[in-house]
Amino acid sequence: MKKRAVLFLLPGLLLIFILLIYPVIRMFIPTFTGGQTIFSNYQSFFSSENNVQIIFRTLFIAVMTTLVTLGLGLPTAYWISRLSGRWRKIISIIVLFPILTNAVVRNFAWIMILGKNGVINNFLMKMHIISSPLTLLYTNLAIIIGAVYLFLPIMITSLVSSYTQLNSEIEEAAEVLGSRPIVVFFKIIIPQISVGIFTGSILVFVGALTAYTTPQLLGGNKNMVLATLLQQQSITLGDWTSASVIAIVLTVIAFITMIALNWVSKVIDRRNSHEIKN
Amino acid sequence: MAQIKINNLSHSYQKNKQILKDLSLDIHDGELLSILGPSGCGKTTMLRLISGLLPMQEGSIIVAGGDISKVPVYKRNFGMVFQSYALFPHMTIFQNVAFGLKRKKLSKSEIFEKTLSILKTTGLLDLKDRMPNELSGGQQQRVSLARALAINPDVLLLDEPLSNLDAKLRIEMREEISRLQKKMKMTTIFVTHDQEECFAISDRVAVMNHGKIEQLDTPQNIFRHPKTKFVAAFVGYENFVPKQWAKEHNWRYNDIISGSQLTIRPEKIELGSNENILNGKVLVKNFLGNNYQYIVETELGRMKVDTQQENYEINDDIGLSFSEKSLIELEDGD
Ligand SMILES: Nc1ncnc2c1ncn2[C@@H]1O[C@H](COP(=O)(O)OP(=O)(O)O)[C@@H](O)[C@H]1O
Ligand SMILES: [Mg+2]
């Protein structure tokens, strides 16, 4: 019986190997060859000040995007989760709506808003608050704004699903025991939704880390991130080894973040480290 | 710790659907008062109004002489035990019990001492480092009680605390609640739909129906002298006889109350004696352990009879008899 089962799995396994594992290996190997030592390619990548700056900018944008979506998502998702059934569905669909539109279109909307002759500058000039237009577009801020807009629905969705699993009597018990609402939120609610915070943060962080369209359109050429650098190295310059190095650096950063966040969420919520014993 | 006066409490969740109707109730200092009523009659609503979890619409609540109607929940210093236990799933038992004390700005050592002492009183010391999901239902209920008692509340509110436990644990826990309540002399409101469990531990019982208190008295008085048909039915009176009918058939009963119904408990009726008062035919015979229960079709409708007699079978024609002293007069409810 068991041998037969393996036989059934074979086509699927083969497909996964050819389409997923093999390409990754093919990407890995060249980054460790062709130099004096196996790390030569990495040494030269990290020795460029420009590259290091790009890594930090990428991290900065990903971290800020995660924190801002978390800050906006926590109260919004809480509010959504407390709505009655029908309203919850309606609002959830509205929240998800931006995801259904094309990423390029969405970023162009922000270009119209943030540009030199965009909505914001026009408004501020008309109100005589500023005399010359502010530089909003093609900055880190623009990328972060675009990324927050892009990823907020994902954060909210993952938080709402955590919030709706809460038993409201637990919060009430805390209140009766003398907790103000703010204490209830931080001591009772946050620890219980740590899984949702973890999932949402990972999705947003990795998404913002690897996003290409948004930094390309809103950051311009001055504010490159790893994804746009990768595109430049591979498509524009045809340097596939450097591109692979960047890809692997991205993967490693994502991986480390995941482990770190997982650890943090376990510290916040000890339920995950205690298995049920009886 | 405190006397509670509930004055003219009304509440509705939706327009034109009043759940509590002008309810007034006094709870004495240190007494254990039960609210007994069927599911949906508004018991939880009332408890949530007292605790402050539900904003008050009409009426007032006075605790130890002070109006608490506008005091926020977290300043009331009440203890509450929920039907779902509502333990903090991310905290150890020790942390759960210490939670209320930590909100009181006590010193660390004081919190530690008080938590340990209440864990000891409730027999939870061995479990103090466990997480809630590692405990049985009975143990979780114990923690929930300990957590509420730890802050030495002015009032203890219990919302059907035993309904999720099995029969044996239920008796054990209700005795534990009674013991702790007496020991700490804590004013306690115990909400339940179980007549037996509430009679066992209450000083007084308020029987509630459709958002109103139908009768407030000691368990003994409620059991022996139910006031209305609803109360009678709720505490095990199964047989109801229209007074008019009894009058026509020359039954002798006290005729003091103006109501239209009489009632009698199933165990007060005998089968097949010589002085039959009512004739009927056995419809159902059930063995209940301590006794048999017969359902007898009579000209008054179905009568329930609990008796030790076992020599009657379905379809037997039999006579029912009872001492007319066992007939209880009821007021007409509204
Ligand atoms: N949040 C609510 N919104 C609307 N109706 C409610 C709400 N809570 C309770 N009710 C209704 O109020 C009535 C009394 O409920 P409840 O106080 O929970 O009764 P009990 O605790 O005696 O079973 C029920 O008919 C219930 O459906
Ligand atoms: Mg209830």
Side-chain angles (χ1 to χ4, degrees):
Chain A
M1 279 307 282
K2 271 211 172 134
K3 270 184 193 154
R4 267 235 226 116
V6 172
L7 230 59
F8 280 118
L9 286 175
L10 216 55
L13 288 175
L14 214 62
L15 214 62
I16 288 173
F17 184 78
I18 294 172
L19 294 179
L20 276 171
I21 299 176
Y22 176 69
V24 170
I25 293 171
R26 274 303 304 266
M27 189 180 78
F28 253 102
I29 292 170
T31 68
F32 297 107
T33 57
Q36 287 164 325
T37 70
I38 57 166
F39 291 118
S40 293
N41 290 320
Y42 289 89
Q43 262 159 4
S44 72
F45 176 79
F46 283 108
S47 64
S48 151
E49 211 167 288
N50 192 36
N51 286 349
V52 173
Q53 201 190 345
I54 288 175
I55 290 179
F56 277 115
R57 181 181 300 125
T58 312
L59 279 175
F60 174 72
I61 288 169
V63 169
M64 286 309 286
T65 306
T66 311
L67 290 179
V68 174
T69 51
L70 206 53
L72 294 174
L74 280 170
T76 315
Y78 185 70
W79 172 70
I80 293 173
S81 71
R82 290 299 146 103
L83 291 172
S84 68
R86 183 161 47 111
W87 279 107
R88 188 157 78 214
K89 266 183 209 136
I90 293 170
I91 302 284
S92 300
I93 289 169
I94 293 174
V95 164
L96 284 175
F97 208 74
I99 292 189
L100 303 177
T101 58
N102 181 288
V104 177
V105 174
R106 274 181 288 171
N107 284 310
F108 265 108
W110 280 110
I111 291 177
M112 311 286 279
I113 294 169
L114 299 172
K116 278 229 158 34
N117 295 310
V119 178
I120 294 180
N121 274 322
N122 266 341
F123 177 77
L124 293 177
M125 300 268 281
K126 274 214 182 94
M127 301 294 288
H128 299 291
I129 294 170
I130 51 169
S131 52
S132 59
L134 300 171
T135 318
L136 298 171
L137 196 57
Y138 307 128
T139 60
N140 288 345
L141 179 68
I143 303 177
I144 292 170
I145 291 174
V148 165
Y149 177 65
L150 193 65
F151 293 114
L152 191 55
I154 294 176
M155 181 62 93
I156 289 179
T157 309
S158 101
L159 291 177
V160 166
S161 73
S162 263
Y163 276 131
T164 45
Q165 286 166 19
L166 294 181
N167 167 3
S168 59
E169 283 194 348
I170 292 176
E171 292 147 46
E172 292 176 347
E175 235 180 308
V176 174
L177 286 167
S179 320
R180 288 160 186 278
I182 190 87
V183 177
V184 175
F185 188 74
F186 283 108
K187 296 235 176 231
I188 304 297
I189 296 179
I190 293 282
Q192 287 188 83
I193 59 160
S194 64
V195 173
I197 294 177
F198 168 70
T199 318
S201 299
I202 286 288
L203 290 173
V204 172
F205 181 83
V206 173
L209 194 70
T210 55
Y212 168 72
T213 323
T214 303
Q216 179 69 43
L217 292 178
L218 301 180
N221 285 332
K222 282 184 300 167
N223 297 290
M224 285 188 103
V225 295
L226 285 171
T228 46
L229 180 68
L230 191 151
Q231 196 267 356
Q232 190 191 57
Q233 294 292 327
S234 58
I235 309 291
T236 317
L237 302 177
D239 183 352
W240 289 93
T241 309
S242 295
S244 299
V245 168
I246 298 169
I248 283 161
V249 168
L250 271 175
T251 313
V252 170
I253 292 174
F255 200 70
I256 291 172
T257 314
M258 209 146 100
I259 292 169
L261 274 179
N262 193 15
W263 180 80
V264 171
S265 86
K266 270 186 185 161
V267 170
I268 297 177
D269 184 353
R270 293 214 298 130
R271 270 177 304 173
N272 300 335
S273 53
H274 276 247
E275 292 306 316
I276 298 171
K277 281 168 202 149
N278 44 3
Chain B
M1 301 268 150
Q3 186 200 25
I4 310 172
K5 273 179 96 74
I6 297 168
N7 300 321
N8 311 95
L9 202 60
S10 294
H11 193 87
S12 32
Y13 293 102
Q14 294 137 348
K15 272 201 177 133
N16 305 324
K17 203 171 163 260
Q18 221 173 23
I19 304 296
L20 296 184
K21 295 162 192 158
D22 201 23
L23 187 148
S24 296
L25 183 63
D26 283 4
I27 299 126
H28 304 159
D29 193 359
E31 131 178 279
L32 195 160
L33 181 122
S34 288
I35 310 286
L36 176 66
S39 176
C41 75
K43 305 183 296 291
T44 298
T45 304
M46 179 178 153
L47 220 55
R48 290 171 62 83
L49 285 169
I50 297 173
S51 67
L53 289 169
L54 204 58
M56 245 161 60
Q57 295 170 344
E58 267 177 69
S60 65
I61 298 173
I62 316 287
V63 175
D67 189 340
I68 56 153
S69 310
K70 296 203 169 56
V71 179
V73 185
Y74 55 87
K75 284 191 184 158
R76 290 197 182 184
N77 196 42
F78 286 4
M80 185 147 178
V81 173
F82 295 82
Q83 197 171 352
S84 69
Y85 314 143
L87 299 183
F88 307 131
H90 55 292
M91 297 182 192
T92 63
I93 301 316
F94 186 92
Q95 291 168 324
N96 262 277
V97 175
F99 187 85
L101 293 168
K102 283 195 186 150
R103 306 277 87 69
K104 283 184 180 283
K105 299 196 175 72
L106 300 176
S107 74
K108 269 207 164 115
S109 61
E110 211 171 340
I111 293 172
F112 187 78
E113 292 300 324
K114 287 193 170 177
T115 307
L116 274 192
S117 130
I118 197 79
L119 284 170
K120 222 174 274 168
T121 328
T122 47
L124 288 165
L125 211 50
D126 295 341
L127 304 175
K128 71 177 170 45
D129 296 320
R130 299 250 201 118
M131 301 302 282
N133 64 5
E134 297 168 342
L135 302 188
S136 70
Q139 291 168 330
Q140 289 186 37
Q141 186 57 283
R142 219 170 257 268
V143 176
S144 172
L145 188 63
R147 185 179 68 176
L149 291 172
I151 60 169
N152 197 14
D154 295 330
V155 175
L156 180 63
L157 307 170
L158 304 154
D159 192 357
E160 310 212 18
L162 309 177
S163 59
N164 288 336
L165 303 177
D166 62 49
K168 202 170 156 228
L169 260 176
R170 210 179 289 187
I171 293 174
E172 209 175 284
M173 269 311 287
R174 85 179 182 213
E175 262 139 35
E176 180 79 358
I177 290 172
S178 175
R179 177 180 75 83
L180 290 167
Q181 189 268 336
K182 287 207 176 73
K183 185 173 159 180
M184 302 177 78
K185 296 192 183 63
M186 192 153 305
T187 311
T188 303
I189 304 181
F190 181 92
V191 159
T192 178
H193 62 261
D194 186 313
Q195 177 246 125
E196 185 197 323
E197 108 191 353
C198 110
F199 279 10
I201 64 171
S202 309
D203 296 315
R204 288 192 304 158
V205 177
V207 185
M208 191 164 169
N209 185 25
H210 291 309
K212 285 191 155 178
I213 306 283
E214 294 239 347
Q215 188 170 2
L216 171 64
D217 215 327
T218 61
Q220 292 80 1
N221 284 345
I222 285 183
F223 189 80
R224 289 179 199 142
H225 309 290
K227 260 196 193 159
T228 62
K229 184 167 179 180
F230 173 82
V231 176
F234 212 80
V235 299
Y237 289 77
E238 309 260 10
N239 306 307
F240 297 93
V241 179
K243 232 181 200 176
Q244 193 57 36
W245 195 94
K247 203 171 270 171
E248 282 161 17
H249 291 74
N250 296 321
W251 288 11
R252 278 161 288 131
Y253 55 88
N254 289 329
D255 197 359
I256 333 172
I257 298 170
S258 67
S260 61
Q261 295 272 332
L262 296 170
T263 187
I264 184 162
R265 295 191 70 84
E267 66 268 20
K268 298 285 188 189
I269 304 179
E270 288 294 312
L271 293 181
S273 92
N274 297 328
E275 297 151 45
N276 295 337
I277 298 181
L278 206 54
N279 291 312
K281 184 184 257 202
V282 177
L283 274 184
V284 177
K285 176 185 185 183
N286 285 324
F287 178 57
L288 296 185
N290 280 334
N291 54 271
Y292 285 84
Q293 180 169 73
Y294 296 90
I295 299 178
V296 183
E297 184 78 54
T298 73
E299 61 178 299
L300 272 172
R302 292 177 183 183
M303 305 286 276
K304 278 194 186 157
V305 181
D306 287 357
T307 170
Q308 303 288 342
Q309 293 161 290
E310 54 180 310
N311 45 342
Y312 298 101
E313 296 305 330
I314 292 171
N315 284 333
D316 283 356
D317 288 316
I318 52 168
L320 276 58
S321 61
F322 47 84
S323 150
E324 285 163 334
K325 275 186 297 190
S326 307
L327 285 168
I328 290 168
E329 276 189 293
L330 297 175
E331 289 173 12
D332 291 334
D334 42 15

